[in-house]
Amino acid sequence: METQRLEQERVDQEKREKRKQKEKERKERLKKEGKLLTKSQKEARARAETTLRMLQAQGVEVPCKDSMPKKKPVYGDKRKKKPTDEEKEKGGGKDSEEEEEEEEDSSDSSEEEDGRTKEELLYDRAKKRIEKRRAENMRNVDLERLRSPVVCVLGHVDTGKTKILDKLRHTNVQDGEAGGITQQIGATNVPLETIVEQTRMVKNFDKDTIKIPGMLIIDTPGHESFSNLRNRGSSLCDIAILVVDIMHGLEPQTLESINLLKEKKCPFIVALNKVDRLYDWKKSPETDVVATLKKQKKNTKDEFDERTKSIVLEFAEQGLNAALFHENKDPRTFVSMVPTSAHSGDGMGNLIGLLVELTQTMLARRLAHCDELRAQVMEVKALPGMGTTIDVILINGTLREGETIIVPGVDGPIITQIRGLLLPPPLKELRVKNQYEKHKEVNTAQGVKILGKDLEKTLAGLPLLVAHSEDEIPVLRDELVRELKQTLSSFKLEEKGVYVQASTLGSLEALLEFLRTSKVPYSGINIGPVHKKDVMKASAMLEHDPQYAVILAFDVKVERDSQEMADSLGVRVFAAEIIYHLFDSFTKYREDYKKAKQDEFKNIAVFPVKLRILPAFIFNSRDPIVMGVVVEAGVLHQGTPLCVPSKINRASIDALKSWFRDEMQKSDWQLIMELKNTFEII
């Protein structure tokens, strides 16, 4: 039956194709003969015939068709009308040929159009328009106009990341002014004037060669910044600053950051921070850091050289070449290191200067002006008097007030209009709400706050899309649904494991990476607040493996009824706003759970051991037996039951596997296999 159905479908498809081909040939023939007319052409012909009859009735001689030069009849005005920019944006402004095609389409029945409905035809037409617009935008890249590069700051805790960000934000603070640097939503916008001001001491740096209009420094956790813009396959970050404490070298989180940068193939420079802690360091923030190094005493220079060489060696162990920026002849092969002190300000100008130089040379094509919209939702915030707003990083393109946007949501894509685009005023920090300035449109690269309806359930970490016309909404909505499904399906779930909940896609990835390295399986994931349905899913582990009846909630709200439900079912909910606090509390829970289980099974678990009794050293053959033995295999524990030979069973082996695995060596498991055969344990 299935074969017959498929065969019938094939036959029907062939019939439709033939009918479509015949119709196409018929239209082509009629076009050549001048008989296929649009509605407007038919009306024009009718008017012309009426005029002709009136003239003939008045006795005016009109040349007949045969005496006229042979020419294809044209009715109506077929001159192409050039569409305006506004019409282009709305998908309007069609020329007469496009109108003719649409007239033809409307004259055909829906059955002749491959059996598709009107909605399907509109959907396909909108999809093609979007694809065409994107292709045109990608072709029309302007290499002469560069956007601001997006810079991320990474590194270990206490290496000075925050200090560097503060130095970039608050350099030359006078009377509460931010010195030309505007801290924006989740990001710091460093304008051109500030770059010029901060690099004035840098040797051989010509301010007239600066091509970028500024820099956008993302102030979010590293993993957060690298959440992929899934529909473009590229990272939010263009270049990164890896902060390394010169006194401590590469630390655990520094290595994590390096692996992240390598994985995303993101270029980066190294800030060798805290040089002011070198013995007898003489600070000089108003001079080039190379000159400052030369001015130091010999013992200070020797210590700097020694620590730098040690860090270069550590980078080599990670498979990376590194060199001091002023000695680096090949920035594409060697990572540049800039000596800095966020505390004293030494080297900060050189750091910014190097960022400018690398971004406008090595990354020129990536930063080239492009009208294709690239924007990512970073955060969802409720503001007094404004309602729920979303913070968006706009990388490419333009956002305008009144545009229809589609953003990812907890219950599916949210479609709304932009009611307001908010930026802080120039030279001011973003601290109080009355400092926001409303803009009609915002260009790249900016951090912008968007006002709109129904934004409460927006998901951070996924793209924001703009519909240019109403028929594009379903296409873009489906695109976002696919993005989210593909993203969540890429995470490998286990049958047994914890349930993970996070506020954004980036934080979810960070949390899952921690669980993977800690060898903790996860059976379910979600983004957004913890609801009762999440508790129900997590409670399934109570039957399979109670240790995993846990919800890890990172930076999300736990609804009160959800918490009550979890308490009644016996599901543990760990919630924290800082990822490391969540790690610590969950790690402690696991250790406590394991210890409790070890106490519970200590009388069941039997560690395997093989002994040989020494007959010459039997000191007491009755209770209590005291004798000398040789341990030939395994480990002899106090409390191990002994027999001739030592007795183990299936329950004791299972207890060892579940709760004492860390105390067993490979040789112990080999002995278990030997004893299983001896005692015929299945």
Side-chain angles (χ1 to χ4, degrees), residues 401-682:
E401 190 178 296
E403 281 186 324
T404 301
I405 57 171
I406 300 98
V407 294
V410 176
D411 302 323
I414 298 165
I415 297 138
T416 188
Q417 274 72 42
I418 298 176
R419 286 187 168 182
L421 295 164
L422 303 180
L423 294 174
L427 311 180
K428 295 284 183 183
E429 292 179 359
L430 187 66
R431 292 200 175 176
V432 290
K433 66 180 179 67
N434 60 14
Q435 286 187 341
Y436 288 117
E437 278 186 357
K438 215 168 182 181
H439 290 252
K440 290 291 182 186
E441 67 175 51
V442 174
N443 297 305
T444 57
Q446 294 270 20
V448 57
K449 187 177 283 296
I450 295 179
L451 302 180
K453 282 180 69 179
D454 307 321
L455 293 172
E456 294 79 12
K457 293 187 176 181
T458 306
L459 283 178
L462 283 169
L464 172 147
L465 304 176
V466 171
H468 291 207
S469 58
E470 194 172 341
D471 61 346
E472 292 183 2
I473 293 173
V475 180
L476 299 176
R477 183 177 57 216
D478 289 351
E479 195 174 296
L480 270 185
V481 169
R482 282 195 302 272
E483 296 281 345
L484 187 57
K485 281 184 179 175
Q486 286 172 8
T487 302
L488 296 181
S489 64
S490 65
F491 300 122
K492 189 179 178 183
L493 302 179
E494 305 288 344
E495 285 186 15
K496 294 180 182 179
V498 298
Y499 195 85
V500 182
Q501 200 100 0
S503 57
T504 69
L505 188 59
S507 55
L508 178 66
E509 287 178 335
L511 198 50
L512 296 182
E513 178 62 22
F514 160 74
L515 295 175
R516 189 182 64 79
T517 53
S518 304
K519 296 182 179 176
V520 177
Y522 47 89
S523 60
I525 54 174
N526 205 352
I527 300 173
V530 178
H531 297 294
K532 290 169 82 171
K533 64 180 180 182
D534 301 308
V535 178
M536 285 301 296
K537 288 177 184 176
S539 68
M541 286 299 116
L542 290 166
E543 296 177 12
H544 303 294
D545 198 339
Q547 67 168 319
Y548 296 130
V550 169
I551 294 177
L552 298 181
F554 174 46
D555 195 26
V556 292
K557 185 182 177 185
V558 180
E559 303 290 344
R560 194 165 78 174
D561 55 351
S562 305
Q563 185 65 60
E564 289 171 357
M565 185 181 188
D567 294 340
S568 65
L569 291 174
V571 175
R572 293 290 300 271
V573 179
F574 294 97
E577 292 183 1
I578 298 171
I579 202 164
Y580 305 109
H581 292 176
L582 190 65
F583 293 170
D584 293 343
S585 56
F586 179 63
T587 304
K588 185 177 184 304
Y589 161 77
R590 287 189 77 203
E591 289 170 355
D592 292 346
Y593 190 90
K594 184 180 174 183
K595 191 173 183 304
K597 286 295 180 182
Q598 285 180 341
D599 291 341
E600 183 183 338
F601 287 93
K602 66 182 178 183
N603 295 323
I604 298 172
V606 176
F607 286 86
V609 64
K610 195 173 177 182
L611 308 176
R612 183 164 51 85
I613 298 170
L614 299 173
F617 296 95
I618 298 175
F619 303 107
N620 193 8
S621 59
R622 294 172 182 267
D623 191 14
I625 298 172
V626 181
M627 61 184 177
V629 298
V630 172
V631 179
E632 292 188 341
V635 179
L636 184 59
H637 285 253
Q638 184 178 342
T640 300
L642 294 176
C643 64
V644 185
S646 176
K647 182 75 174 172
I648 63 169
N649 55 35
R650 168 48 57 192
S652 69
I653 294 172
D654 290 342
L656 287 173
K657 281 183 177 179
S658 299
W659 309 113
F660 298 91
R661 189 180 287 271
D662 295 345
E663 299 176 37
M664 297 281 286
Q665 303 295 322
K666 188 177 180 181
S667 58
D668 297 333
W669 291 116
Q670 289 170 347
L671 180 57
I672 283 279
M673 296 302 293
E674 183 184 330
L675 293 176
K676 272 177 70 178
N677 293 332
T678 302
F679 295 115
E680 297 180 351
I681 298 170
I682 298 172

Side-chain angles (χ1 to χ4, degrees), residues 36-70:
L36 184 66
L37 306 176
T38 65
K39 187 179 177 182
S40 57
Q41 288 174 333
K42 287 176 183 175
E43 289 173 354
R45 183 171 67 175
R47 285 196 300 270
E49 287 174 352
T50 304
T51 307
L52 180 63
R53 283 196 297 271
M54 286 173 64
L55 290 171
Q56 287 173 340
Q58 294 170 10
V60 178
E61 288 188 15
V62 180
C64 65
K65 189 165 69 173
D66 295 335
S67 65
M68 295 283 288
K70 288 195 175 180

Side-chain angles (χ1 to χ4, degrees), residues 57-98:
Q58 294 170 10
V60 178
E61 288 188 15
V62 180
C64 65
K65 189 165 69 173
D66 295 335
S67 65
M68 295 283 288
K70 288 195 175 180
K71 183 180 176 184
K72 182 178 176 180
V74 176
Y75 302 97
D77 186 7
K78 286 205 69 170
R79 288 174 297 174
K80 290 185 181 180
K81 182 183 174 185
K82 191 174 180 182
T84 63
D85 291 340
E86 188 177 347
E87 287 172 333
K88 282 181 182 175
E89 285 293 318
K90 292 179 180 176
K94 303 177 187 68
D95 57 30
S96 58
E97 290 177 6
E98 290 173 327

